[in-house]
Amino acid sequence: MELLGISLALIVMFVGFGLLIGILFGFFGMGGSFLVTPALLVMGYDANVAVGSGLAFVFGTSVIATLKHRDLGQVDYKLGILMIAGTTAGIEVGKVGLEYLQELGLAGSVVSVAYVFLLGGIGVFVTYEAMKSGGGDGLEHDVDEDADLEDEEIPEIAQKIQSYSVPPMISIRGGFTVSLWMVLLVAFATGVLSGFLGVGGGFIRMPALFYLIGVPVPVAVGTDLFEIVFSGGIGSFLYAQSGAVDLSIVAPLLAGSALGARVGAAATNLVNEDDIKVYFGVMLLLGSIAVAVREIGGVLEMPVLDTVSLAIILGAALLVSGAVVYSAITMLRSEASASSPAAD
């Protein structure tokens, strides 16, 4: 049986894949094209279709997840717009650097190595910092969300950046002020990396918002998703004009992610902040291994390693999304048991 030009089994697989990625996307503010595009390439789709369909999926999922984060009060629109402006400028500079390396014939190898080390480096750093802080009992999610956000521990680097009182100063969701120029500088730097690596940059922006600006992790995720709505929308529109967006792929993926993105976004309001950082770090570490395996396969001309790389990525997604859902359910049960004695 076929529907929309593809088999029913493939549709079911895409729906399940969309659910899985939606959870990660809503929880971390990244993971869409990072997972979808490589999977479609391994499945035999043309590169432009894989990228275009991946971007269309990212756009749709980011809209769903952003709306949920908005309901939870975890989107700073002013900060998001400023980040978009700074990131856009940085991407143009990054593209210039990439084009220069292309002229020298070094772009492929340099970008691949940089991507692997950046993924792995951020993963190790985030995981180490989260483990060092020791987490918490995870029961600090009270009704007063603003009070919770203001009580979050601010990283030392972010405290230093916040201390620079270079006007104009702007207020940030979480109860602090920071120089507009510091925000634009961080946005520009992350944009340069995104443009140089040719990636959306969600795995760069989310930790940058927390560790460099001091935005609480749930708000960093929500604000990053707000930015992705614009970048994903523009990208998917451009690819759609050339016919590179395959709706038979995008529609079932979005059907699954419609639920997954809301589940992942809701989980950020339940799971302990340090647990979020640990899961994020593990996801990036496993992602860096998968990318490294794929690049080694290309150098050694061993296509089987592409499949191994995809298996690592899917395994990581399944492992981390499962941990996210389990942690959220455990938290809900803890809160329910903590309130039940009141009946006595």
Side-chain angles (χ1 to χ4, degrees):
M1 179 179 178
E2 292 195 358
L3 184 65
L4 296 175
I6 58 177
S7 68
L8 182 60
L10 198 56
I11 291 175
V12 172
M13 186 193 74
F14 278 143
V15 171
F17 194 32
L19 174 66
L20 185 70
I21 298 172
I23 293 173
L24 297 175
F25 209 86
F27 193 73
F28 295 127
M30 55 81 69
S33 56
F34 175 69
L35 293 167
V36 174
T37 303
L40 293 177
L41 288 172
V42 171
M43 291 173 66
Y45 288 96
D46 292 337
N48 64 329
V49 173
V51 174
S53 299
L55 281 171
F57 168 72
V58 164
F59 169 65
T61 305
S62 62
V63 170
I64 297 167
T66 299
L67 290 174
K68 181 60 179 177
H69 278 279
R70 180 203 62 183
D71 295 341
L72 297 170
Q74 296 172 351
V75 180
D76 189 324
Y77 296 104
K78 175 171 59 180
L79 176 61
I81 291 172
L82 291 174
M83 290 293 292
I84 290 171
T87 300
T88 301
I91 287 174
E92 291 301 319
V93 174
K95 284 171 59 180
V96 171
L98 180 61
E99 290 168 357
Y100 176 72
L101 287 177
Q102 286 177 329
E103 292 177 0
L104 298 178
L106 301 173
S109 57
V110 171
V111 169
S112 297
V113 172
Y115 191 40
V116 171
F117 276 94
L118 190 62
L119 272 176
I122 294 176
V124 169
F125 173 77
V126 171
T127 304
Y128 172 75
E129 288 293 317
M131 299 295 288
K132 185 176 69 173
S133 66
D137 59 12
L139 297 177
E140 68 276 16
H141 298 284
D142 302 322
V143 175
D144 189 348
E145 294 174 358
D146 288 328
D148 286 340
L149 294 174
E150 292 175 14
D151 290 339
E152 298 290 358
E153 182 180 351
I154 299 175
E156 292 182 6
I157 301 176
Q159 292 181 24
K160 183 66 175 178
I161 289 177
Q162 290 178 16
S163 69
Y164 293 114
S165 300
V166 183
M169 304 294 289
I170 60 173
S171 59
I172 299 296
R173 180 89 166 85
F176 64 91
T177 59
V178 65
S179 171
L180 168 66
W181 303 112
M182 292 295 104
V183 172
L184 292 177
L185 181 61
V186 170
F188 179 78
T190 57
V192 170
L193 288 174
S194 296
F196 180 73
L197 296 175
V199 296
F203 73 92
I204 301 172
R205 282 195 306 267
M206 196 281 271
L209 285 169
F210 174 71
Y211 287 103
L212 299 182
I213 298 179
V215 180
V217 170
V219 178
V221 173
T223 304
D224 182 39
L225 282 165
F226 172 67
E227 297 176 65
I228 294 173
V229 169
F230 289 89
S231 59
I234 294 172
S236 59
F237 174 74
L238 293 176
Y239 274 91
Q241 284 186 314
S242 61
V245 174
D246 189 336
L247 292 180
S248 67
I249 298 172
V250 177
L253 283 173
L254 285 177
S257 71
L259 172 62
R262 294 186 67 82
V263 170
T268 61
N269 208 40
L270 295 168
V271 180
N272 180 268
E273 183 171 297
D274 285 312
D275 289 341
I276 296 176
K277 288 181 280 187
V278 169
Y279 296 149
F280 182 77
V282 170
M283 187 72 212
L284 292 188
L285 281 172
L286 293 175
S288 68
I289 293 173
V291 173
V293 169
R294 187 176 65 201
E295 293 302 324
I296 292 172
V299 172
L300 299 180
E301 297 184 352
M302 296 176 61
V304 67
L305 291 184
D306 287 344
T307 304
V308 173
S309 172
L310 178 61
I312 295 174
I313 291 176
L314 293 179
L318 185 60
L319 174 68
V320 176
S321 62
V324 167
V325 173
Y326 176 79
S327 296
I329 293 174
T330 301
M331 188 61 60
L332 285 173
R333 287 178 175 174
S334 298
E335 294 178 349
S337 61
S339 61
S340 61
D344 299 333

